[in-house]
Amino acid sequence: MALAETRIILGCMRIANLDIAAVRELIDASLAAGVNFFDHADIYGGGRCEELFGTVLASQPGLREKIIIQTKCGIRRGFYDFSKEHILRSVDQSLQRLRTDYVDVLLLHRPDTLMEPDEVAEAFTALEESGKVRCFGVSNHSPLQIELLQRWLPQRIRFNQLQFSAAHTGMIDAGLNVNMKIDPAVDRDGGILEYCRLREITIQAWSPLQFGFFDGVFLGHPDYADLNRVLERIGEEQGVSAAAVAVAWILRHPAKMQVVVGTTKPNHLQEICAAERVNLTREQWYEIYRAAGNKLP
Ligand SMILES: NC(=O)c1ccc[n+]([C@@H]2O[C@H](COP(=O)([O-])OP(=O)(O)OC[C@H]3O[C@@H](n4cnc5c(N)ncnc54)[C@H](OP(=O)(O)O)[C@@H]3O)[C@@H](O)[C@H]2O)c1
């Protein structure tokens, strides 16, 4: 990648209802806060999110070269589709909406069990050779699914976007409870965290402030009173918000994850970016993990 990637990525899934001025303000605020990486998907807002972003891009000459744009494909209405035809068509449509002739990163959004890896390889190679996509990754994929793809792909899979937050810790629970006869010991992802570290695949943590599957934000939520108390206390000690501590908790992990934040408010984004200057000790890191309701064996 020509530009150095920032560790905080602005997720654009929730911008569909903003007006152009607000999207422009959010992009400006990202750059001002040192965030140059933007995450999209063909399906966000039914294409509206890419379209709004593209309108701002087209109105600001020079902006394209300063930023990294990532988009995703593969989810369709009621099914998943990693066919060559769909991947190529989806990228062309994203480029049109984004009003650019390349994306820096393309991710396969969710595993398609009907995937033919050689077909994906043909699609990726065509996209790479035409200059439409500069590098590739996946999202919500297990180690073996990545191995299967990688067996055919000439391109290296560089990213895996996965749900991870203080209140969604599946990726580390099993590793902390090896061989225990309890639910957190269940390995639901095939050891994806360790696998990505071994293969130098950057994990992009999505929904860093949410619990459940889009059930809500844990900040200020009564079910997460202990977690909020700890985040707020550490935040006060370090002069940052609870949201920044929650993001710092992800950044602190030695897997060197990126964090895809989904705020639509410039002030929230600015607050969150203070996460990069938070120092969490090992003790504080585990304290946050336990305060979210997790037990250590
Ligand atoms: N690969 C996948 O399958 C997948 C799935 C889901 C999401 N994603 C990506 O991940 C990105 C982030 O997901 P997400 O939006 O669920 O993440 P998130 O950052 O956990 O949640 C963002 C939401 O939290 C709210 N929020 C409340 N208080 C906040 C505070 N103090 N600071 C910041 N935000 C606060 C935001 O509202 P305000 O706007 O009012 O700040 C916004 O509605 C998406 O945009 C998308 O790019 C990927």
Side-chain angles (χ1 to χ4, degrees), residues 11-14 39-40 44 72 109-110 139-140 161 206-210 214 217 219 243 260-265 268 271-272:
C12 297
M13 179 182 75
R14 299 181 192 269
D39 181 65
H40 283 272
Y44 291 165
K72 316 184 198 74
H109 206 155
R110 266 194 182 275
S139 174
N140 306 306
Q161 198 172 104
W206 60 262
S207 289
L209 304 177
Q210 311 275 321
F214 301 112
V217 176
L219 294 176
V260 194
V261 302
T263 182
T264 55
K265 308 248 165 61
H268 277 166
E271 260 177 50
I272 282 176

Side-chain angles (χ1 to χ4, degrees), residues 106-124:
L106 177 70
L107 306 184
L108 297 172
H109 206 155
R110 266 194 182 275
D112 169 18
T113 193
L114 302 183
M115 165 191 75
E116 307 280 1
D118 54 334
E119 229 189 303
V120 176
E122 279 180 34
F124 279 14

Side-chain angles (χ1 to χ4, degrees), residues 44-266:
Y44 291 165
R48 181 79 186 136
C49 300
E50 288 183 333
E51 214 167 75
L52 284 164
F53 198 92
T55 306
V56 174
L57 211 53
S59 71
Q60 278 181 239
L63 176 59
R64 179 66 190 95
E65 293 69 38
K66 289 189 204 147
I67 63 174
I68 295 167
I69 301 181
Q70 168 172 282
T71 194
K72 316 184 198 74
C73 67
I75 299 184
R76 299 184 69 181
R77 240 174 241 277
F79 65 111
Y80 302 122
D81 189 351
F82 287 5
S83 66
K84 179 180 174 186
E85 187 198 5
H86 177 68
I87 294 172
L88 295 179
R89 187 180 49 232
S90 167
V91 169
D92 279 340
Q93 289 171 348
S94 287
L95 293 178
Q96 233 168 39
R97 286 190 293 261
L98 287 163
R99 296 169 73 170
T100 178
D101 48 12
Y102 71 96
V103 289
D104 299 273
V105 190
L106 177 70
L107 306 184
L108 297 172
H109 206 155
R110 266 194 182 275
D112 169 18
T113 193
L114 302 183
M115 165 191 75
E116 307 280 1
D118 54 334
E119 229 189 303
V120 176
E122 279 180 34
F124 279 14
T125 300
L127 291 168
E128 188 177 50
E129 284 174 357
S130 62
K132 290 177 183 174
V133 175
R134 300 207 166 158
C135 67
F136 298 87
V138 293
S139 174
N140 306 306
H141 275 59
S142 73
L144 279 177
Q145 289 167 333
I146 296 176
E147 285 290 301
L148 177 60
L149 262 172
Q150 201 65 87
R151 162 80 177 71
W152 271 268
L153 290 182
Q155 300 78 15
R156 191 167 92 75
I157 291 180
R158 292 240 359 242
F159 302 98
N160 189 11
Q161 198 172 104
L162 295 153
Q163 185 175 8
F164 188 62
S165 74
H168 187 93
T169 51
M171 274 201 286
I172 51 177
D173 298 339
L176 286 169
N177 291 280
V178 173
N179 204 27
M180 306 279 293
K181 287 187 170 179
I182 50 171
D183 187 70
V186 178
D187 179 357
R188 294 183 170 85
D189 55 40
I192 192 65
L193 177 65
E194 288 76 14
Y195 172 80
C196 288
R197 291 182 73 180
L198 271 169
R199 291 274 188 246
E200 297 183 0
I201 294 171
T202 303
I203 293 176
Q204 298 180 340
W206 60 262
S207 289
L209 304 177
Q210 311 275 321
F211 62 94
F213 189 62
F214 301 112
D215 290 339
V217 176
F218 57 74
L219 294 176
H221 195 287
D223 289 357
Y224 290 92
D226 287 349
L227 176 60
N228 278 288
R229 248 192 310 277
V230 173
L231 294 174
E232 276 160 26
R233 193 202 73 228
I234 296 174
E236 269 165 36
E237 285 163 12
Q238 305 214 17
V240 301
S241 68
V245 180
V247 169
W249 185 80
I250 300 173
L251 295 175
R252 167 68 176 81
H253 195 281
K256 298 191 173 57
M257 298 182 214
Q258 291 175 311
V259 184
V260 194
V261 302
T263 182
T264 55
K265 308 248 165 61

